[in-house]
Amino acid sequence: YSSALAVGSLVFLSGQIPIDPRNNQLMKDASIDDQTRLVLDNLKAVLEANGMTMANVVSTSVFLKNLDDFAKMNAVYGTYFPSAPPARATVEVSRLPRDVKVEISAIAAR
């Protein structure tokens, strides 16, 4: 498992789920808002480790356990991409790793 893989000027970030990197604890029972915030913070940390910021993200894929959570997820998501948000696909899935509510992957360009 690679958290990120660079190919040319693109960096492909693996899907992140709401695991707190400070204590390696899963936030499984947290709200969709809190899970989304932690997932995006985790993506931000992977970007920073690769010398990039959220402004480098050109595409994301959002996987939701329940598409009824879209509005809440989107409200948090929008705070991470306040201008020129990346292209995005959002889909509902029947199950996510460790039964979380959201997973997000991304592609960034240098």
Side-chain angles (χ1 to χ4, degrees):
Y1 168 77
S2 297
S3 58
L5 181 64
V7 178
S9 64
L10 298 177
V11 177
F12 297 84
L13 289 81
S14 294
Q16 296 292 313
I17 61 173
I19 294 178
D20 188 334
R22 296 171 296 180
N23 58 19
N24 206 33
Q25 294 295 310
L26 180 69
M27 289 180 55
K28 179 179 175 185
D29 296 323
S31 69
I32 187 65
D33 311 76
D34 290 339
Q35 284 196 15
T36 302
R37 194 169 293 106
L38 182 54
V39 165
L40 289 166
D41 284 344
N42 289 347
L43 281 174
K44 185 176 177 183
V46 174
L47 286 163
E48 289 171 355
N50 284 276
M52 294 184 292
T53 69
M54 296 298 268
N56 293 98
V57 176
V58 296
S59 179
T60 62
S61 295
V62 178
F63 305 94
L64 290 172
K65 182 168 178 138
N66 184 343
L67 207 49
D68 289 341
D69 288 335
F70 179 83
K72 290 180 180 180
M73 176 282 300
N74 196 51
V76 173
Y77 181 96
T79 67
Y80 286 79
F81 302 104
S83 62
R88 177 178 72 190
T90 303
V91 296
E92 180 178 275
V93 295
S94 63
R95 192 167 181 202
L96 288 165
R98 300 177 75 178
D99 294 319
V100 298
K101 297 173 183 163
V102 61
E103 179 176 356
I104 302 174
S105 64
I107 301 170
R110 294 188 192 275

